Amino acid sequence: MFLLTVALVGLCEILIYVPTVANYRVMWLSDRIAAAYVAALVVDASPGQTAPNDFIDRLLTGVGASAVIVSGETRKVIARETPPDTVSHVVDLQSNGWTHSIAGAWSTLFQPAQGPIRVIGKRRDGFAPVEIILDETPLRRAMVKFCLRLLGTSMIVAAVVAGLVFLVLQRVIVRPVRLLVSNITAFAGDPEATNRVIVPSGRNDEVGDAEVALAQMEMALAEELRAKRHLADLGLSVSKINHEMRNLLTTAQLLGDRLEGVTDPVVQRVAPRLVATLGRAIRFCEETLAYGRATERHPQKRTFLLAPLLADQADMSGRGPNCPVVFREICAPDITVHADPEQLSRALANLVRNAVEAMQAEPSSTPLVTLEAGRTGDRVTILVTDNGPGLPARAREHLFAPFKGSTRPGGTGLGLSIAAELIALNGGIISLDHTQSSVQFRITLPAGKRS
């Protein structure tokens, strides 16, 4: 981080350093042109417009040039000897942009002229244009000294600025971010511990907002994980209790079946109710145990004919031999579906069993369960319909929610929840159609590929 800061500050120094050196060269030459203007005025003021040679030598030495040329109505040359006709190169300060200044400074430092150079000064109001011819060596020597001084100063400034920027970045950004990272790492080790939740520093910038958001997230996550752990422990205990109760109730049901053969009138009256009650208790335990599993297994999908599976649902409905419920299957023999047969059968069995129990509780004139299937494009629709008493409004609100969708005494509401989960695992959708009296569930699944 420190080296990157130094590099960025150094780049900024370079962007300032190069134009500064170029500007120094222009100012150095401009000072010589200004001195040349003064020398020309002094010569013009001399009696007879002539000056002794030693006086001209002192003027030219002060200017730092070998010749001063004044271009007016008459061209005037101030020099000890005739100026050369050719020079190494010409520097025109009148049209010297910043790109030309930088190029000229580079040339002076690294490609010095082999002979004298001519410098053309900027025009001044009331004065004739002035040019000077001089040796570039003094200019180059002055620029080298200036570059070394500027380089030293720049290095000191860059080091100080880089250090200050580094310290500021460390305190304002790097250190708070490291604290955030270390807190996240520590919290991940034990996300249920509230003492590992970050305490916001109270900053009013983006880092402070991140700390507040992280604290809220960690607190919510810790509470959620603790609640889930408690529910998991409770679920494990309930599963164990249900397992033992199912075994006990199964034994009690067997004993109750034996009571049906007793001829005592009281026993004959009580035994069927006892057997039915035990049956409901056993189904309650089985549904709770089925829902209490962590996850359903991954579906083993394949393409199979749907009609035989629908025909099997009557035998899987749990209806007794004296049950008046009638089953009707409407399905073309060539309709195929791509799903897990065992999971789809379980989902349909839950729907059918609910319908049978509802119609047995409130029997109609002709209890009927209809399973109808049809194909549209690449989807197969299965309708499970019964003409029972229908669903009350409170059951529709939490229809597929566990322990909330049941409407009969002793029900758990797990059948529809399990059915919805199984259908979703197989890439399908289950919904309740809006009907006036009957109950109709609609299942949509991927169809099998046509051969």
Side-chain angles (χ1 to χ4, degrees):
M1 185 66 184
F2 179 75
L3 295 178
L4 179 61
T5 305
V6 171
L8 292 176
V9 174
L11 178 61
C12 296
E13 288 289 341
I14 291 174
L15 295 177
I16 299 173
Y17 184 86
V18 174
T20 303
V21 173
N23 185 67
Y24 176 82
R25 174 176 175 270
V26 173
M27 295 301 296
W28 193 92
L29 294 176
S30 297
D31 290 343
R32 299 302 177 272
I33 291 294
Y37 271 109
V38 175
L41 291 175
V42 171
V43 171
D44 287 342
S46 299
Q49 303 238 343
T50 60
N53 289 334
D54 59 343
F55 182 67
I56 291 177
D57 289 341
R58 289 197 298 273
L59 287 178
L60 293 175
T61 301
V63 173
S66 60
V68 176
I69 302 171
V70 181
S71 301
E73 295 179 357
T74 59
R75 190 169 185 268
K76 182 181 296 184
V77 178
I78 303 173
R80 288 185 291 267
E81 54 187 33
T82 304
D85 295 332
T86 59
V87 292
S88 295
H89 61 265
V90 177
V91 179
D92 189 355
L93 297 180
Q94 298 182 81
S95 58
N96 196 35
W98 67 272
T99 55
H100 292 87
S101 298
I102 293 175
W106 178 272
S107 177
T108 300
L109 288 172
F110 301 103
Q111 295 176 348
Q114 301 300 319
I117 63 173
R118 182 159 65 101
V119 182
I120 303 174
K122 295 181 179 180
R123 293 181 177 272
R124 296 187 180 185
D125 296 337
F127 295 92
V130 173
E131 302 175 9
I132 59 176
I133 296 176
L134 50 79
D135 183 11
E136 197 179 37
T137 302
L139 171 61
R140 183 174 183 275
R141 189 180 300 116
M143 288 183 63
V144 169
K145 291 181 180 180
F146 177 77
C147 287
L148 293 176
R149 291 195 305 270
L150 183 61
L151 179 62
T153 303
S154 299
M155 293 296 292
I156 295 174
V157 172
V160 173
V161 172
L164 292 176
V165 172
F166 176 75
L167 293 176
V168 171
L169 291 177
Q170 282 285 333
R171 183 174 181 83
V172 176
I173 298 177
V174 177
R175 184 180 176 185
V177 171
R178 285 179 177 174
L179 291 176
L180 287 174
V181 173
S182 62
N183 174 265
I184 293 173
T185 303
F187 182 79
D190 186 8
E192 294 185 19
T194 56
N195 60 341
R196 297 195 178 188
V197 175
I198 189 171
V199 179
S201 60
R203 295 174 51 157
N204 295 323
D205 55 4
E206 290 78 3
V207 175
D209 295 339
E211 291 175 345
V212 173
L214 180 62
Q216 294 174 350
M217 183 196 70
E218 289 179 343
M219 183 63 71
L221 180 60
E223 293 177 355
E224 186 72 17
L225 289 176
R226 286 197 304 274
K228 287 185 178 296
R229 180 171 56 82
H230 293 162
L231 289 176
D233 294 341
L234 177 61
L236 180 60
S237 300
V238 170
S239 297
K240 293 179 179 179
I241 294 171
N242 268 320
H243 185 274
E244 296 301 325
M245 285 186 64
R246 184 184 60 178
N247 294 336
L248 296 173
L249 291 172
T250 301
T251 303
Q253 187 180 38
L254 293 175
L255 295 176
D257 292 339
R258 295 179 61 182
L259 290 176
E260 291 182 349
V262 179
T263 59
D264 185 280
V266 177
V267 174
Q268 288 293 321
R269 188 176 64 256
V270 174
R273 298 179 181 177
L274 175 62
V275 172
T277 304
L278 291 174
R280 286 197 301 269
I282 291 173
R283 285 195 298 274
F284 178 89
C285 293
E286 290 176 345
E287 290 178 354
T288 305
L289 288 173
Y291 184 79
R293 288 183 295 185
T295 56
E296 290 286 348
R297 64 172 176 82
H298 189 74
Q300 305 297 318
K301 296 182 182 181
R302 63 181 178 88
T303 300
F304 59 93
L305 294 173
L306 184 58
L309 188 141
L310 297 182
D312 292 339
Q313 295 307 310
D315 296 331
M316 301 176 63
S317 63
R319 61 175 179 169
N322 300 322
C323 179
V325 178
V326 178
F327 280 83
R328 182 174 63 182
E329 297 86 24
I330 304 174
C331 179
D334 62 340
I335 292 181
T336 59
V337 66
H338 186 70
D340 186 313
E342 190 272 335
Q343 290 185 343
L344 178 56
S345 178
R346 286 175 53 199
L348 291 174
N350 281 326
L351 298 179
V352 170
R353 188 179 296 113
N354 283 350
V356 171
E357 291 179 353
M359 288 187 291
Q360 285 179 336
E362 297 183 30
S364 60
S365 57
T366 306
L368 175 65
V369 176
T370 304
L371 293 95
E372 182 179 358
R375 176 167 179 163
T376 305
D378 60 348
R379 307 291 288 183
V380 170
T381 301
I382 304 173
L383 301 178
V384 180
T385 310
D386 69 75
N387 60 351
L391 287 174
R394 63 184 182 87
R396 295 174 183 267
E397 293 177 359
H398 306 285
L399 191 59
F400 299 106
F403 303 105
K404 295 182 179 180
S406 178
T407 59
R408 68 180 187 275
T412 62
L414 293 175
L416 292 179
S417 177
I418 295 173
E421 181 181 3
L422 293 173
I423 295 300
L425 283 174
N426 285 271
I429 300 173
I430 182 172
S431 60
L432 177 67
D433 288 350
H434 293 283
T435 58
Q436 293 296 329
S437 59
S438 63
V439 176
Q440 179 173 283
F441 288 94
R442 180 181 298 270
I443 298 174
T444 307
L445 289 165
K449 294 183 179 179
R450 297 183 185 271
S451 58

